[in-house]
Amino acid sequence: MHIQPTNNLSNVSQSQVGATQVKSERHEGVKTPVDQLDLSFEAQMMMNRLDSGFRADRVADLRSQIASGRYETREKIEMALDRILDEIA
């Protein structure tokens, strides 16, 4: 007994390739759409607010302190502990 496959994938892939070629030939000269992003006024205001608080020079200074091991001083640790204890109490 011989069973014929119900979905012959080689025929499907050949027809898809052929359909793609026909589409590209038929739409020759049509411009490709360009992606665009439109932000609401509120979103633009939030972005401006976020950007205005960023200080690249301060971030660079802190990164260099952390890399060199100068960031965690005894005073800073004590201040952080005091703040934590204030929040808990």
Side-chain angles (χ1 to χ4, degrees):
M1 179 159 124
H2 184 289
I3 299 175
Q4 297 266 358
T6 57
N7 56 354
N8 190 349
L9 294 178
S10 63
N11 288 342
V12 172
S13 62
Q14 288 173 358
S15 65
Q16 287 176 347
V17 169
T20 303
Q21 289 173 349
V22 170
K23 280 185 180 178
S24 64
E25 291 170 4
R26 209 178 323 158
H27 297 293
E28 197 172 287
V30 175
K31 292 184 180 180
T32 305
V34 178
D35 292 338
Q36 181 176 342
L37 173 66
D38 295 322
L39 296 175
S40 67
F41 176 75
E42 291 82 9
Q44 291 175 11
M45 293 300 292
M46 288 177 66
M47 292 296 293
N48 289 339
R49 193 174 312 152
L50 290 175
D51 290 342
S52 65
F54 181 75
R55 294 178 37 201
D57 58 334
R58 182 70 177 136
V59 171
D61 182 43
L62 290 172
R63 283 184 178 168
S64 103
Q65 287 181 29
I66 291 168
S68 68
R70 297 178 291 127
Y71 181 73
E72 291 182 3
T73 63
R74 184 169 198 75
E75 295 81 25
K76 288 181 182 178
I77 293 172
E78 287 176 3
M79 184 172 39
L81 286 173
D82 288 340
R83 288 180 182 172
I84 290 171
L85 291 174
D86 288 342
E87 284 185 26
I88 293 173

